[in-house]
Amino acid sequence: MANNQDLPKRASRSSKAAGEDLRVIGSSRQRVDVRGKVTGQTIYADDISLPRMAYCKILRSPHPHAVIRNIDVSRAQAHPGVYLVLTGKDLPIEYGILPVSQDETALCVDRVRHVGDPVAAVIAREELTAFEALDLIDVEYEILPTISDPEEALATPEPRLHDYGEEGNIHKRVSFEFGDVDKGFAEADEILEDLFFYQGSTHLAMEQHASVAIKDREGKLTLWTSTQVPHYLHRSLAKVLELPAGHIRVIATPNGGGFGGKSDPLNHEIIVCKAALLLGRPVKISLTREEVFYCHRGRHPVLMKFKVGVKKDGTIKALDLQTLIDGGGYGSFGVASTFYTGALQTTAYHVERFKFRACRTFTNKPPCGPKRGHGTPQPRFGQEVQMDKIAERLGIDPAELRLRTAVKPNELTANFLQLGTVGLEQCIRRVVDMSGWKDKFRKLPEGRGVGLACSCYLTGAGLSIYWNKMPHSGIQLKLDRSGGVTLQAGTTEIGQGSDDVLAAIVAEILGLQTVDIRVYSGDTDLGPVDLGSYSSRVTLMAGNAAVQAAERAKAMLAEAVAEKLQVPKERLRFADNAVFDTAAPEKRVTFPEAVCLGESRFGTIGTVGSYWPPKMPAAQYKGGGVGTSPTYTYSAAVAEVEVNPATGWIRVVKIWNTHDLGRALNPTIALGQVEGSIYMGLGEALMEEQEFRRLPKKLSHALVHKFPSILEYKSPTSLDMPEIFTEFVEGPDPRGPFGAKEVGQGPLLPIMPAVANAVYDAVGVRIDEVPITPEKILKALAEKRAGREPRYGPTHFPEISWPEALRVPPPWEGGDGRAINETPKERKPRVEKEAVLKP
């Protein structure tokens, strides 16, 4: 545009009519309304800028299951201030986080599958205007039968929620047998069978979802959004919007909490991008808390049946686990979640033979997905409570039983997961000492008790979501003549401190302070691809890439400095913002001088680092990639509780936690991660539940969320938190950067079963499901007084038509990781082990 000096200044922006924008044709400037009609000629200098922000609101289905017969948006489109109304026909292409579950559209095209499913979107000059226009959209629905839980899904094959599922409303079934489980039970001295239920819950991140999209002057798209997976979101946008991927930029803004809830590409992100492209103006959306509940992707409700056979000394001869999973209305991460409800059950305790069957169903609820721990807290709860029952049956202290059965370092499990460093025994011994376990267990007064539980979790998934040969994470470094270092990463900062950890790794290698490293992360235009902040992967994977990039930069500088100082480069040390000869420290250059020497020798100093997980040659059967990880972490926790037998009220008094994290790169951040895990674990143990109810028939009989707000959805406050005592068990792992492993998710897993075991120690009743509420404790106490089983929990597991199990002999029975009943076509090709870092 021409210069604005001769244009009049206005005193107030209110002189501009609502909903108007500027049209610039050559040197002529006209004021136009939202329909393009010229309304005046007076133009002000401060008007000549980007178009004003537009705001988006989404119309959501009031029905849990219905066919969309017709949508009439004419009244909404004519509403003053409305720029655009979108429906499913504008965004018909399906997407999803997993390649096997591309089952969502940004706006429903022909069917809604849960209350809150998006049907239409209004984009207007103000958020209130968009909200008002939602009431002007007329939708004609044909109501379909509602599936409210997995058992109903099994019994209701029609109508199908999705045609791509295995059959009826079953999304995914898996079945494996590692060794002859029946033989293991025959060899056992004791056999226990237990049922457990783990209620679903949501992430409850403090920050709600929000996104802003804009089309720039070149027609390219930029999206700012609160996501954990900018790379996968970028991929989905290119598919749905049919744009070249190189014309899309996703910027993951620093998140006010993620916990897995922002690990899917979400419909509102796609909607605002489409609107921005059509309108040529920035478009913003901020979801309400209720809408976040409808996005969900939280913890799957899981019904579990455990059967275990043990010897008198505690040896686990056989474990048979069945899980039935409520997946909600869409696939999300559900296929992976299905495997995770059993894949890690052999990684904490040595299990000689293992049978695992899982079934995920579609129901008319918001889709479940990867909440912190992703599929593993549910079976960990069942296994840890059952371990206490085994200990009681055998007359062994629960801590001693776990020590006897704990896996060993570098063990290959029954299902061919290759373990690395294992600090479980040290964690158990330390938490027993810290908590005074031996002086408290079965020795405290009635109403007070202690419970112990352990856990194992992966440090990053060994396989990417889209299988390819490219690295899982990359880092770029640029060294400036002034001594500054710029680090560009595709990682996402979601409050876990990943930016600080990456900066610290580079600073340590180059002899700088963390403050000297400027980090740009979560921007698909600036940094190389990183697969996302999930599965506790960033420290190990991006950290190793950062190590490689920094070492390459260091090698270039060392060569140049060695030539300048006339010393062997092997004697050079990088420290205190300088490079010096260890044999003669007075021979030195400052770090900026070292960069200048490097530039003089090599040109601009820029390096890259990449990380590929090591190939896992063991698990060659179909599905064997789920659960693989470069290494695993271990935790042990003791909970001390008070239970009032008259009211059932439970108070957690103290939590002791030990965590094997390899090495703590930043102990303060690591401690925060542990305490956050404990907080979230207590919420799931005591009060959090994603519960649904049916409205009365006269009101529609719809299946609706029972309490989609923080007012009714209960979560612990600071006043509910107990005293927490945390210690790290450090033993550097060779596969982690400077020996580090994960700390973001593993410490959550033992909290729920530790509380359940403590309740039993306090009042002698088993609560075999979460949340553990006063009502359930009172009912179990009533059963105890009546002379019946002192327990509250599920009482039956439905019959499921399981597929033939893939039979894989375990390593100690001569197995090579292949299923003996797989066809050659189904078998995975054998791969050889590769180094963690490729050159």
Side-chain angles (χ1 to χ4, degrees), residues 623-650:
V626 178
T628 60
S629 178
T631 190
Y632 300 81
T633 62
Y634 293 84
S635 294
V638 169
E640 184 171 340
V641 305
E642 289 179 348
V643 180
N644 186 326
T647 64
W649 191 258
I650 176 175

Side-chain angles (χ1 to χ4, degrees), residues 23 186 303 381 532 583 823:
R23 172 182 295 163
L303 179 66
F381 173 79
T823 65

Side-chain angles (χ1 to χ4, degrees), residues 412-735:
L412 190 61
T413 69
N415 53 334
F416 287 86
L417 297 181
Q418 179 63 63
L419 307 182
T421 57
V422 175
L424 180 56
E425 290 186 27
Q426 299 94 309
C427 285
I428 296 171
R429 296 185 193 282
R430 191 69 201 110
V431 83
V432 164
D433 291 342
M434 289 167 57
S435 63
W437 170 264
K438 295 179 180 179
D439 298 324
K440 294 177 179 179
F441 180 64
R442 299 290 191 264
K443 297 176 183 177
L444 295 176
E446 177 73 13
R448 197 170 182 114
V450 291
L452 170 68
C454 301
S455 73
C456 171
Y457 197 65
L458 30 97
T459 302
L463 290 178
S464 59
I465 291 175
Y466 288 83
W467 291 8
N468 55 58
K469 296 182 179 180
M470 291 181 283
H472 289 210
S473 190
I475 296 290
Q476 293 176 333
L477 293 183
K478 178 180 74 70
L479 277 60
D480 188 81
R481 299 175 189 179
S482 64
V485 176
T486 299
L487 185 158
Q488 294 168 290
T491 56
T492 308
E493 176 60 72
I494 58 173
Q496 84 280 40
S498 59
D499 283 2
D500 183 88
V501 166
L502 294 177
I505 288 171
V506 172
E508 177 71 18
I509 292 171
L510 297 181
L512 305 174
Q513 302 298 312
T514 304
V515 72
D516 298 321
I517 314 297
R518 187 181 296 275
V519 178
Y520 294 94
S521 63
D523 187 326
T524 59
D525 262 16
L526 296 184
V529 167
D530 178 87
L531 299 185
S533 289
Y534 62 89
S535 293
S536 288
R537 57 180 299 285
V538 174
T539 293
L540 186 138
M541 296 192 176
N544 272 322
V547 167
Q548 188 181 73
E551 290 287 1
R552 287 172 169 171
K554 180 179 179 181
M556 295 172 74
L557 299 187
E559 187 170 336
V561 172
E563 183 178 351
K564 171 71 173 179
L565 299 181
Q566 294 297 297
V567 299
K569 61 182 179 182
E570 293 77 17
R571 289 207 329 236
L572 292 178
R573 183 179 177 188
F574 288 65
D576 299 325
N577 289 70
V579 184
F580 57 88
D581 181 4
T582 53
E586 67 278 3
K587 290 185 176 182
R588 63 172 55 218
V589 297
T590 65
F591 187 78
E593 290 172 336
V595 175
C596 290
L597 291 170
E599 276 204 40
S600 300
R601 176 73 183 275
F602 301 105
T604 301
I605 305 296
T607 61
V608 299
S610 301
Y611 178 82
W612 288 261
K615 297 296 183 182
M616 302 297 176
Q620 296 300 305
Y621 57 91
K622 186 177 181 181
V626 178
T628 60
S629 178
T631 190
Y632 300 81
T633 62
Y634 293 84
S635 294
V638 169
E640 184 171 340
V641 305
E642 289 179 348
V643 180
N644 186 326
T647 64
W649 191 258
I650 176 175
R651 185 172 76 92
V652 179
V653 180
K654 293 179 181 178
I655 294 282
W656 294 268
N657 179 277
T658 54
H659 184 65
D660 157 34
L661 80 175
R663 174 179 287 171
L665 301 186
N666 186 317
T668 301
I669 290 178
L671 184 63
Q673 288 290 293
V674 171
E675 293 186 354
S677 290
I678 292 171
Y679 163 83
M680 188 169 280
L682 287 174
E684 296 188 22
L686 301 176
M687 59 189 76
E688 293 192 41
E689 50 184 336
Q690 179 98 337
E691 187 60 274
F692 294 80
R693 61 188 176 91
R694 283 193 184 276
L695 295 176
K697 285 191 175 181
K698 64 180 180 180
L699 295 179
S700 77
H701 204 52
L703 186 70
V704 299
H705 201 297
K706 194 172 182 180
F707 25 60
S709 79
I710 294 182
L711 183 63
E712 293 91 1
Y713 182 95
K714 302 305 179 187
S715 182
T717 69
S718 58
L719 298 178
D720 299 304
M721 286 296 287
E723 286 188 86
I724 297 174
F725 305 90
T726 297
E727 284 194 13
F728 297 129
V729 172
E730 295 193 80
D733 190 296
R735 290 186 170 177

Side-chain angles (χ1 to χ4, degrees), residues 209-245:
H209 299 286
S211 303
V212 175
I214 189 170
K215 181 173 74 171
D216 66 20
R217 294 175 181 177
E218 296 177 339
K220 295 179 180 178
L221 176 70
T222 299
L223 173 68
W224 293 263
T225 188
S226 50
T227 181
Q228 296 175 236
V229 287
H231 168 65
Y232 288 125
L233 174 56
H234 183 267
R235 189 181 189 118
S236 293
L237 289 172
K239 178 186 178 185
V240 175
L241 301 175
E242 298 181 287
L243 289 177

